[in-house]
Amino acid sequence: MLKSGEEHEEDLEKQRAAVVELRELEKSVEANPDDPFLRFNLAVYLWEKCECKEKAAEHFVVAVKLNPQNATAFKYLGHYYYEKEKARALKCYQRAVSLNPDDFESGDALCDMLDQSGKETLELSLCTEASQKSPRAFWAFRRLGYIHLHYNRCSEAVSTLQHAIRGFPTCPDLWEALGLAYQKLGMFTAATKSYGRAIELEDRRVFALIQSGNIFLTLGNFQKGVEQFQRALEISPQNVSANYGLASGLLAWSKECMNMGAFRWGASLLEDACKVADKIAQLAGNFSSIWKMHGDIQVSLSKLHHSPPL
């Protein structure tokens, strides 16, 4: 889309102002070459406004030599070396986090590098130290929560994930992980609330929907469970776990209806369960649990067909 003459003139004016501002920063550094604050400001401007990352990095290097306590400068250097020299990037991020444990950019980048290198012990140590240094090192609590959950240390996972959510309240991954930790601890009500929050934040969370459905089946709320599986299948129609959960839920719900005397409703649910079971057998017919459920449905249908007319 072509810009109007007025818009073009505004762009030119912004460019001229940027050139003037850059020149002023450069003059300040030339006049005070040993001032770390001026060096840092120039480096940030080159990085953010001019996208001259290599030139900016040169000034960041000088800035940290003049002021080794500048955590933000080390963070920028970590970003600069990330694709060029992993070892140097690692050291820069480590320095940034040691100076400022609240720096989630450096913390996450550092953990990603350690994770990719298979250095999980170092990652755990780093996150533990950062979380002990500052209650606002939310990135560290988040990583700790995931690590604890991975190793089924669910009580520790709950406490660290809860703390992490204070810093990242709209992160669906955290809420989903918290739901799983609660679920493994048998705290089903808390689990469904956490899964529900994850789904509110991102309505395509298939895992949260499936696990919520499983919990509702465990609690005997078959209708609610079926609804969760149906929502999951709207997103991922071929998902075996969601189909299996739906068939199980329909079967259990049909039995409940039969026991209450709602035979027509129960029969309809049972027929739906049979259709879903047939679909699962086509998707993944090599699991014994699938065929067992298929058999249970067929037995229920047989009993229905041999019962007195509804």
Side-chain angles (χ1 to χ4, degrees):
M1 184 177 179
L2 295 175
K3 294 184 177 181
S4 66
E6 185 176 338
E7 289 174 329
H8 183 65
E9 185 59 35
E10 287 180 2
D11 288 343
L12 289 176
E13 184 60 34
K14 288 179 181 177
Q15 292 174 12
R16 286 192 288 266
V19 170
V20 171
E21 188 174 359
L22 175 58
R23 187 58 193 143
E24 289 298 320
L25 288 169
E26 290 175 333
K27 284 181 179 180
S28 297
V29 170
E30 289 169 4
N32 304 276
D34 295 330
D35 188 322
F37 181 74
L38 295 175
R39 284 276 184 182
F40 176 75
N41 286 346
L42 174 58
V44 171
Y45 192 89
L46 287 167
W47 184 284
E48 301 287 351
K49 303 294 184 180
C50 305
E51 296 189 3
C52 301
K53 300 195 185 302
E54 188 167 350
K55 193 173 181 181
E58 293 174 4
H59 288 287
F60 280 128
V61 168
V62 177
V64 296
K65 287 181 179 178
L66 295 170
N67 177 17
Q69 304 302 309
N70 190 332
T72 307
F74 279 108
K75 177 186 72 175
Y76 277 107
L77 285 172
H79 293 341
Y80 176 73
Y81 290 122
Y82 189 83
E83 298 296 338
K84 303 173 183 293
E85 300 178 56
K86 294 291 187 184
R88 293 188 72 175
L90 192 71
K91 290 180 179 179
C92 290
Y93 285 137
Q94 285 176 324
R95 182 63 176 159
V97 169
S98 67
L99 291 168
N100 178 20
D102 298 349
D103 180 2
F104 73 92
E105 285 187 42
S106 296
D108 272 343
L110 180 54
C111 285
D112 285 341
M113 295 179 73
L114 292 173
D115 193 51
Q116 292 164 10
S117 303
K119 299 177 180 178
E120 191 176 89
T121 302
L122 282 177
E123 182 182 357
L124 178 60
S125 176
L126 167 76
C127 294
T128 301
E129 182 179 352
S131 66
Q132 290 172 347
K133 281 185 177 180
S134 172
R136 295 188 61 79
F138 298 114
W139 63 270
F141 286 96
R142 176 168 60 183
R143 292 281 180 160
L144 283 173
Y146 293 154
I147 292 171
H148 287 317
L149 183 58
H150 178 73
Y151 288 102
N152 285 319
R153 298 190 289 264
C154 296
S155 295
E156 293 89 338
V158 166
S159 62
T160 49
L161 290 169
Q162 285 176 332
H163 192 103
I165 284 172
R166 297 175 191 172
F168 305 104
T170 58
C171 176
D173 287 340
L174 276 172
W175 285 103
E176 189 172 82
L178 181 60
L180 182 58
Y182 279 134
Q183 184 178 1
K184 289 186 174 185
L185 289 170
M187 302 171 67
F188 295 136
T189 301
T192 55
K193 288 181 179 179
S194 295
Y195 284 137
R197 180 59 178 146
I199 296 164
E200 284 177 12
L201 292 168
E202 188 181 308
D203 60 6
R204 298 184 66 80
R205 308 293 295 193
V206 173
F207 180 83
L209 286 165
I210 291 173
Q211 294 306 315
S212 295
N214 288 331
I215 291 172
F216 284 123
L217 294 192
T218 300
L219 296 175
N221 191 340
F222 305 123
Q223 181 176 358
K224 187 67 175 178
V226 165
E227 290 172 357
Q228 297 297 89
F229 292 124
Q230 288 173 332
R231 288 180 62 185
L233 288 169
E234 288 174 4
I235 303 164
S236 181
Q238 306 302 311
N239 188 289
V240 174
S241 295
N243 277 288
Y244 184 88
L246 178 58
S248 299
L250 289 168
L251 175 59
W253 191 7
S254 71
K255 291 179 179 178
E256 183 181 60
C257 290
M258 299 286 190
N259 291 334
M260 292 188 300
F263 298 109
R264 289 188 184 277
W265 190 5
S268 175
L269 292 171
L270 199 55
E271 289 172 0
D272 290 340
C274 188
K275 293 176 185 177
V276 179
D278 289 338
K279 180 181 178 181
I280 303 168
Q282 294 175 3
L283 290 172
N286 56 340
F287 292 101
S288 59
S289 57
I290 291 174
W291 289 106
K292 181 185 181 305
M293 182 183 62
H294 205 294
D296 291 341
I297 293 172
Q298 295 302 319
V299 168
S300 296
L301 279 171
S302 177
K303 290 179 178 178
L304 180 65
H305 292 153
H306 289 86
S307 62
L310 299 177

